[in-house]
C-alpha cells in the first residue's frame, strides 16, 4: 500500500554492521530469546494461514519486554558526567520498566514519567527497581513533563522509541531471528512509535531484501499508519487502545524514516482483533501475551492473511507485563 523510500546517504539508518557490533557489545547482558513454531489450534484448523508460523518470544527478555535491548544500548553510551546527572524516561509502562531496571543495574538515578492510568504492575516494577515514578494526567502531559525535567535537571532523555541507539538495540532481535529461522518470507512486527519495527526491519532487509516486513498497529493508536500516508511525522489527539504500550502519541523523524525505508506495509487491527489473538496465543501456545504482544498475531490472522497464506512467517511477541485480572478480562473478551 505504501511506497517505500529510496535509500540515500541522507536517510540515516542502522547498518547491518552497526547492529552486529551492538549485538556483540550486549552479548551476555541481554538474553538471546528463543523461537517456537506455532503448529497447534488455529494453525491446524483455520483456512488461509501461513505454511509455517514462528514466534520470536521476546516476552522472555529481561524485564519481560524487548525494551531492555534499546535502553541498555542507550545507557552504555552515557559518559560519567551524564550518568551522574541521571536519566528521565516517559512511558506507559514497558519502556519505564526497562529504564528503571537498567538504571538500577548501572547505578544511575532514573525518573520515569507515566500516565496515571498506566498498569499498576508496571508502576510497581519501576518503584521496585528504585526509580522515581511521576504520574501525569495523560500520555501527552507525560511527554511534556519529561521534557521539562530533562531541561531543568540536565538529565538525559532515554526516548521510548526514537534514535539510532534504540534502533541498533532492537535490530539485534532481527539479527537473532534471521539466524534462528533461515528462509523466512515475512516478519510481522508490532508498531507503537516505531522503534522496535525500525530496528528489526533494518536488520531483516539488509540480511535478506526479499523478506517482507509488515508493521501492525492498533486502530486507536495508528500514528505510523497516518505518518506513512502523509509522508511526515504526525500527532494523535487521543490514544485509545487496549494495547497501551503501543500508544505513542506522535511519530518522530528518525524511526518513521527508517520504517518507511525498510517496511513493506503497515496495517491496523481493532481491539477485538487484538483480544482474539491474545486468546489464541493463550489457548494454543499457552503464552500470557499482553495486548501489544498479540498485535502481530492479530495482523496475520486478519488484514495480512491473503499476503501471508502459504508463506514462512515470523511474528514478534514483544512483551508480557500486565495484571492477571486484566489479562483474564481481555482473553475472555477474545474468546466471546
Amino acid at each position: 500500500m505504501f511506497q517505500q523510500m529510496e535509500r540515500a546517504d541522507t536517510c540515516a539508518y542502522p547498518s547491518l554492521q552497526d547492529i552486529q557490533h551492538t549485538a556483540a557489545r550486549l552479548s551476555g547482558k541481554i538474553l538471546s530469546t528463543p523461537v517456537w513454531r506455532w503448529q497447534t489450534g488455529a494453525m491446524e484448523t483455520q483456512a488461509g494461514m501461513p505454511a509455517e508460523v514462528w514466534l520470536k518470544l521476546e516476552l522472555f527478555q529481561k524485564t519481560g519486554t524487548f525494551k531492555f535491548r534499546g535502553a541498555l544500548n542507550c545507557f552504555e553510551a552515557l559518559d560519567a558526567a551524564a550518568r551522574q546527572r541521571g536519566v528521565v524516561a516517559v512511558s506507559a509502562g514497558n519502556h519505564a520498566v526497562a529504564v528503571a531496571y537498567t538504571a538500577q543495574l548501572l547505578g544511575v538515578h532514573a525518573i520515569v514519567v507515566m500516565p496515571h492510568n498506566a498498569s499498576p504492575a508496571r508502576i510497581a516494577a519501576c518503584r521496585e527497581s528504585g526509580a522515581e515514578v511521576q504520574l501525569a494526567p495523560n500520555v501527552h502531559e507525560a511527554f511534556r513533563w519529561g521534557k521539562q525535567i530533562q531541561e531543568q535537571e540536565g538529565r538525559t532523555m532515554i526516548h521510548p522509541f526514537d534514535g539510532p541507539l534504540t534502533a541498533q538495540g532492537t535490530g539485534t532481535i532481527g539479527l537473532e531471528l534471521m539466524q534462528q529461522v533461515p528462509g523466512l518470507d515475512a516478519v510481522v512486527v508490532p508498531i507503537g512509535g516505531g522503534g522496535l519495527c525500525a530496528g528489526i526491519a533494518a536488520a531483516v532487509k539488509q540480511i535478506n531484501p526479499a523478506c517482507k516486513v509488515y508493521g501492525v498497529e492498533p486502530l486507536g493508536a495508528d500514528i505510523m499508519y497516518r505518518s506513512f500516508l502523509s509522508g511526515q511525522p504526525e500527532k494523535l489527539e487521543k490514544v485509545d487502545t487496549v494495547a497501551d504500550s503501543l500508544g505513542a502519541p506522535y511519530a518522530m523523524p528518525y524511526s518513521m524514516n527508517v520504517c518507511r525505508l525498510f517496511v513493506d506495509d503497515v496495517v491496523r487491527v481493532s481491539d477485538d482483533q487484538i483480544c482474539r489473538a491474545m486468546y489464541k496465543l493463550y489457548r494454543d501456545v499457552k503464552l500470557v501475551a499482553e495486548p501489544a504482544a498479540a498485535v502481530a498475531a492479530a495482523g496475520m490472522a486478519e488484514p495480512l492473511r491473503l499476503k501471508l497464506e502459504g508463506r514462512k512467517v515470523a511474528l514478534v511477541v514483544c512483551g508480557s507485563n500486565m495484571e492477571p485480572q486484566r489479562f483474564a478480562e481481555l482473553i475472555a473478551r477474545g474468546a466471546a
Side-chain angles (χ1 to χ4, degrees):
M1 176 180 176
F2 299 105
Q3 184 175 0
Q4 287 180 300
M5 293 174 60
E6 293 294 326
R7 187 174 302 176
D9 292 340
T10 55
C11 180
Y13 61 91
S15 70
L16 184 57
Q17 187 177 52
D18 290 335
I19 296 168
Q20 290 168 333
H21 287 169
T22 302
R25 189 174 63 256
L26 300 184
S27 178
K29 303 170 187 176
I30 59 173
L31 300 178
S32 177
T33 53
V35 295
W36 192 85
R37 185 176 172 187
W38 189 351
Q39 300 180 73
T40 55
M43 294 306 109
E44 293 179 301
T45 61
Q46 201 163 325
M49 299 300 275
E52 287 186 34
V53 177
W54 291 85
L55 305 177
K56 177 59 171 166
L57 299 172
E58 193 60 17
L59 78 172
F60 293 149
Q61 184 56 256
K62 292 179 181 179
T63 74
T65 166
F66 77 93
K67 291 285 191 180
F68 179 55
R69 295 178 187 252
L72 181 58
N73 200 39
C74 290
F75 269 83
E76 290 201 339
L78 300 177
D79 60 23
R83 292 189 183 205
Q84 182 64 34
R85 289 192 299 270
V87 302
V88 60
V90 179
S91 168
N94 281 337
H95 178 65
V97 172
V99 167
Y101 176 84
T102 309
Q104 183 183 54
L105 199 65
L106 300 179
V108 177
H109 185 264
I111 296 175
V112 294
V113 186
M114 308 170 74
H116 75 94
N117 60 347
S119 158
R122 296 173 189 161
I123 294 171
C126 291
R127 288 177 170 151
E128 287 168 10
S129 291
E132 178 184 334
V133 177
Q134 296 190 14
L135 299 178
N138 54 56
V139 69
H140 291 85
E141 281 295 290
F143 276 95
R144 189 180 68 80
W145 287 17
K147 184 174 177 58
Q148 186 175 357
I149 291 167
Q150 176 189 13
E151 293 172 349
Q152 291 179 349
E153 300 186 18
R155 291 173 178 267
T156 299
M157 171 68 76
I158 308 296
H159 200 277
F161 57 81
D162 201 55
L165 292 170
T166 296
Q168 290 164 17
T170 59
T172 62
I173 301 170
L175 187 67
E176 287 176 12
L177 176 59
M178 298 301 276
Q179 294 166 345
Q180 292 167 319
V181 189
L184 284 170
D185 296 309
V187 178
V188 186
V189 189
I191 292 187
L196 174 66
C197 197
I200 291 177
V204 168
K205 286 290 191 178
Q206 290 178 86
I207 293 170
N208 179 11
C211 183
K212 299 292 186 181
V213 178
Y214 298 108
V216 186
E217 281 190 308
L219 273 166
D222 60 346
I223 190 62
M224 194 62 68
Y225 183 92
R226 296 183 186 210
S227 298
F228 270 36
L229 281 177
S230 70
Q232 62 185 11
E234 296 290 343
K235 295 182 180 180
L236 295 176
E237 291 184 8
K238 182 182 179 182
V239 172
D240 183 14
T241 174
V242 296
D244 56 346
S245 54
L246 297 182
Y250 58 80
M252 294 284 284
Y254 180 84
S255 293
M256 188 199 82
N257 286 333
V258 176
C259 284
R260 287 185 67 208
L261 188 62
F262 292 113
V263 174
D264 293 278
D265 200 1
V266 177
V267 299
R268 299 174 295 177
V269 291
S270 69
D271 282 358
D272 284 341
Q273 289 171 327
I274 293 169
C275 291
R276 284 197 290 271
M278 288 178 67
Y279 172 68
K280 289 174 185 175
L281 286 168
Y282 176 72
R283 181 195 64 190
D284 297 356
V285 193
K286 315 309 175 192
L287 286 179
V288 179
E290 66 177 81
V295 162
M300 174 195 70
E302 305 200 40
L304 291 172
R305 182 186 292 192
L306 291 178
K307 292 183 178 181
L308 299 178
E309 184 175 3
R311 303 291 185 175
K312 186 175 182 178
V313 176
L315 310 178
V316 177
V317 185
C318 59
S320 181
N321 288 315
M322 65 185 309
E323 296 76 20
Q325 299 89 339
R326 179 62 170 162
F327 177 75
E329 174 189 328
L330 294 179
I331 63 166
R333 176 176 172 180

